[in-house]
Amino acid sequence: MNLSGSGHTLSDVALDITVECMDDRGIRHEIDTVLSYVGSDPFAVAMTFVTSDGDLVWTFGRDLLIRGTEAPAGDGDVHVSPAIGLSGRAMVAIELTSPDGHLVLMARAGDVSDFIARTAAVVAPGTESDAFDADLLISRLLAS
């Protein structure tokens, strides 16, 4: 999903995935989600949840996603860790916490690894500072 127009940002990498979660009653739900990455904001990734009420976007550090595929990682509102799904499949657990609630999502580890590899082709991990344009960010903030 490369979004443009309507106030959306063009993504360098976008991957449609389905994540799973359980509600309070233990009922499993599947949520269509888009993982996206923009090279001009090299430190961040976004998860866009596609719902009938509109899209909901969570943005967090790419390094958190990368570290969380190998070992539990995260402080604050987002935690990421390797997991095993009910079917025995390798998964990545993504925990989101807000004042409105707490949600644990399970994404296929292969999907997350594919996404990370595609972001690394845009900006190699560890070189984000080289790709970050602080002057551009400041000019955009001042223009709003």
Side-chain angles (χ1 to χ4, degrees), residues 37 42-46 59-67 78 80:
Y37 180 76
F43 294 101
V45 296
T59 303
F60 54 94
R62 178 175 72 156
D63 67 322
L64 172 61
L65 185 63
I66 292 170
R67 288 183 293 118
V78 181
V80 181

Side-chain angles (χ1 to χ4, degrees), residues 102-122:
H102 179 83
L103 181 64
V104 178
L105 304 162
M106 300 290 276
R108 291 185 181 132
D111 290 342
V112 175
S113 293
D114 179 42
F115 175 73
I116 291 169
R118 291 172 60 190
T119 71
V122 175

Side-chain angles (χ1 to χ4, degrees), residues 11-129:
S11 296
D12 292 317
V13 176
L15 182 64
D16 295 329
I17 66 170
T18 300
V19 295
E20 301 173 7
C21 67
M22 295 267 194
D23 67 17
D24 294 339
R25 298 167 293 168
I27 298 172
R28 182 179 160 274
H29 299 274
E30 291 185 342
I31 304 171
D32 293 328
T33 306
V34 180
L35 288 172
S36 59
Y37 180 76
V38 179
S40 61
D41 188 6
F43 294 101
V45 296
M47 286 187 81
T48 302
F49 303 102
V50 181
T51 72
S52 58
D53 295 331
D55 294 352
L56 175 63
V57 181
W58 275 76
T59 303
F60 54 94
R62 178 175 72 156
D63 67 322
L64 172 61
L65 185 63
I66 292 170
R67 288 183 293 118
T69 62
E70 299 294 324
D75 295 318
D77 297 347
V78 181
H79 293 101
V80 181
S81 61
I84 301 295
L86 295 175
S87 65
R89 175 181 288 180
M91 306 290 276
V92 175
I94 302 169
E95 264 184 272
L96 306 174
T97 303
S98 79
D100 296 324
H102 179 83
L103 181 64
V104 178
L105 304 162
M106 300 290 276
R108 291 185 181 132
D111 290 342
V112 175
S113 293
D114 179 42
F115 175 73
I116 291 169
R118 291 172 60 190
T119 71
V122 175
V123 176
T127 66
E128 294 90 352
S129 293

